Amino acid sequence: MKTFALALTMTTALATPGFAELALEKDQLTFGFIKLTDMAPLAVAYEQGYFLDEGLFVTLEAQANWKVLLDGVIGGTLDGAHMLAGQPLAATIGFGTDAHIITPFSMDLNGNGITVSNEVWELMKANIPNGADGKPQHPISAEALAPVVAKFKSEGKPFNMGMVFPVSTHNYELRYWLAAGGLKPGFYSPENITGQIGADVLLSVTPPPQMPATMEAGTINGYCVGEPWNQQAVFKGIGVPVITDYQIWKNNPEKVFGLTAEFAEKYPNTTIAITKALIRAAIWLDENDNANRMEAVEMLSKPEYVGADKEVIANSMTGTFEYEKGDKREVPDFNVFFRYNATYPFYSDAVWYLTQMRRWGQIAEAKPDSWYDETARKVYRPDIYLQAARMLVDEGLANEADFPWDSDGYKAPTPAEDVIDHIPYDGKAPNAYLDSLPIGLKGSQVVVGNEVQG
């Protein structure tokens, strides 16, 4: 646990940027996080004093799992948290829990990988062509996994994979990759929330830090998780990452900072101050071509943050990614915290998550395109973000050109070449997008019992 010493003089706080301009309604705050490298903006905002610059006395507390974290925010023991992007959306539409959560800040792009056990990798390799250097060609399609899954089935064994939470990016990315390779990851229904209806590959929840040990024990055959838990498998020699989410969907949105709508309404200036500090942290993480990343690695390696070895964290945090031992490749955008408007909460990002909830039955019935837009606007709050950004620019702490002031909240459609299945995504046409995906619910289809109807 980290906490600012409250004995720091208010004279210091009053002299810092921003504090005098915002009359804070609440200045002692507790934020939750999970031990993943993409919690970095919180650690940096703390360690670099950006929270204190805004007059905020912050405590950062690691949480046991994503459910405990979400319950803490809803219950008020946490004022806000590093969240899975699907959590505020799911809570707001009443899937899993019912609470209005918002996000004024997206924490990062990319940062996840899919890892398989050594046994599965050995079986997959026969289906993967090698490049001129003799190493496996990337990106690796789940088509290479399909014969392995079929082998397990013929032997009467289930093929199990882990993901971190039912509404996690990891669940949707793993499902996307599997489906792009012709494998069915299973459906949800109101009566059956396992997500395993009609599945070729059985997906289940495992907390991120437990992924390597769970796979090593043979409980799961692979997993999708954020760093450093893919690289940990490489260092321990227990598994091989086969693909990163950057290769599944280039510059895909990842975590968000979430807090209740009630908090934002009750403490509007505090919410802006929090957002300002997090934007500054994101800028620091990416500035000067990632020049600060090794310092960030030092921070994150502390036991109160991620607590993994520096070498493991640096393996992906500094612009590379290692697949098999010795097969380290350049992936400069594996972790992005500010470039490409990474911190702006785009409605189109929210809509993508909602389409995946609908695709796999977490949203049980069809919704019109207008519903997707309205729901995105309830949760993603670029208005708060831009207020914070404007103050930073006026204070000389950020550059005017780095923010999408005139955006309507929707990114330009993702082109086919940026997605592993070569299917483009347009956030303004969610139902047409769902119809374009070969595996998954479309139109008025619903899951009844163990089958899709309609």
Side-chain angles (χ1 to χ4, degrees):
M1 184 172 78
K2 298 287 283 185
T3 182
F4 279 124
L6 297 182
L8 284 171
T9 65
M10 291 305 291
T11 306
T12 301
L14 285 165
T16 55
F19 186 73
E21 298 178 37
L22 286 170
L24 300 178
E25 306 89 356
K26 185 176 185 181
D27 62 1
Q28 296 185 40
L29 304 168
T30 302
F31 298 148
F33 67 93
I34 298 293
K35 291 193 168 190
L36 294 160
T37 56
D38 57 20
M39 64 76 61
L42 284 169
V44 170
Y46 176 87
E47 297 286 346
Q48 293 295 103
Y50 300 149
F51 284 132
L52 190 58
D53 284 350
E54 299 299 330
L56 301 171
F57 300 91
V58 168
T59 298
L60 299 179
E61 292 185 354
Q63 304 296 298
N65 57 54
W66 292 112
K67 184 181 187 304
V68 168
L69 178 145
L70 180 61
D71 289 347
V73 173
I74 294 170
T77 56
L78 297 174
D79 295 295
H82 162 237
M83 281 189 184
L84 299 160
Q87 286 186 298
L89 292 160
T92 299
I93 66 173
F95 179 78
T97 189
D98 191 3
H100 188 184
I101 310 290
I102 68 158
T103 178
F105 179 85
S106 287
M107 292 190 71
D108 62 321
L109 304 177
N110 313 314
N112 298 329
I114 297 173
T115 292
V116 298
S117 68
N118 290 335
E119 176 196 6
V120 171
W121 175 242
E122 287 304 314
L123 293 169
M124 283 181 71
K125 278 204 293 189
N127 311 315
I128 302 168
N130 287 335
D133 58 1
K135 296 177 180 178
Q137 283 186 5
H138 285 259
I140 293 172
S141 167
E143 289 177 358
L145 181 65
V148 183
V149 172
K151 182 178 188 296
F152 272 59
K153 186 175 182 179
S154 70
E155 295 170 357
K157 297 187 296 187
F159 194 91
N160 299 305
M161 296 191 79
M163 47 79 181
V164 307
F165 202 69
V167 296
S168 64
T169 321
H170 318 77
N171 186 20
Y172 304 131
E173 288 172 348
L174 182 51
R175 288 168 173 273
Y176 203 101
W177 180 69
L178 292 168
L183 290 165
K184 297 175 182 176
F187 292 102
Y188 296 81
S189 76
E191 298 75 34
N192 184 341
I193 58 170
T194 64
Q196 297 181 354
I197 298 169
D200 296 323
V201 177
L202 303 177
L203 308 187
S204 59
V205 171
T206 302
Q210 297 173 26
M211 287 286 191
T214 305
M215 185 175 71
E216 189 173 16
T219 307
I220 53 177
N221 305 108
Y223 54 74
C224 182
V225 75
E227 282 305 304
W229 308 116
N230 296 288
Q231 293 301 286
Q232 186 81 302
V234 178
F235 274 73
K236 292 182 72 175
I238 61 170
V240 176
V242 291
I243 193 167
T244 69
D245 57 345
Y246 180 82
Q247 296 164 314
I248 296 171
W249 176 16
K250 181 180 176 181
N251 292 331
N252 64 92
E254 234 308 285
K255 305 294 191 309
V256 298
F257 182 80
L259 61 170
T260 64
E262 180 184 11
F263 182 99
E265 289 161 10
K266 190 174 180 180
Y267 310 120
N269 288 346
T270 300
T271 302
I272 292 170
I274 294 165
T275 308
K276 287 178 67 184
L278 291 174
I279 291 172
R280 288 184 69 192
I283 292 171
W284 183 89
L285 279 160
D286 278 10
E287 68 187 359
N288 300 324
D289 294 324
N290 296 350
N292 297 321
R293 288 296 179 89
M294 280 309 299
E295 188 175 344
V297 167
E298 292 275 352
M299 288 181 199
L300 294 172
S301 68
K302 295 178 181 179
E304 60 265 38
Y305 294 134
V306 178
D309 291 343
K310 284 182 282 190
E311 188 181 6
V312 176
I313 297 173
N315 227 27
S316 62
M317 190 78 169
T318 54
T320 60
F321 193 85
E322 192 166 14
Y323 295 93
E324 291 181 276
K325 279 187 177 177
D327 185 4
K328 185 180 284 192
R329 307 192 188 201
E330 296 294 318
V331 189
D333 285 337
F334 179 77
N335 280 123
V336 173
F337 294 98
F338 189 69
R339 293 188 296 280
Y340 318 130
N341 297 312
T343 54
Y344 184 95
F346 283 100
Y347 300 138
S348 46
D349 292 347
V351 170
W352 185 83
Y353 283 102
L354 293 167
T355 64
Q356 300 311 294
M357 292 178 194
R358 170 59 189 149
R359 182 183 186 185
W360 304 116
Q362 291 175 331
I363 296 172
E365 298 178 348
K367 304 287 185 182
D369 284 355
S370 59
W371 178 88
Y372 288 89
D373 177 73
E374 289 161 7
T375 303
R377 290 174 187 272
K378 284 180 187 175
V379 177
Y380 279 47
R381 295 293 301 275
D383 56 319
I384 297 172
Y385 176 89
L386 289 177
Q387 287 181 67
R390 174 51 61 197
M391 292 186 71
L392 289 174
V393 170
D394 290 347
E395 292 162 13
L397 297 172
N399 296 321
E400 174 98 18
D402 287 342
F403 301 95
W405 305 104
D406 298 325
S407 173
D408 64 356
Y410 283 82
K411 292 178 183 175
T414 303
E417 60 267 23
D418 285 356
V419 193
I420 193 160
D421 57 5
H422 303 293
I423 295 174
Y425 165 65
D426 182 355
K428 293 183 177 179
N431 280 295
Y433 173 63
L434 283 165
D435 289 345
S436 73
L437 298 165
I439 297 177
L441 298 181
K442 301 170 180 47
S444 60
Q445 288 182 331
V446 293
V447 181
V448 179
N450 290 322
E451 63 180 22
V452 175
Q453 295 185 0

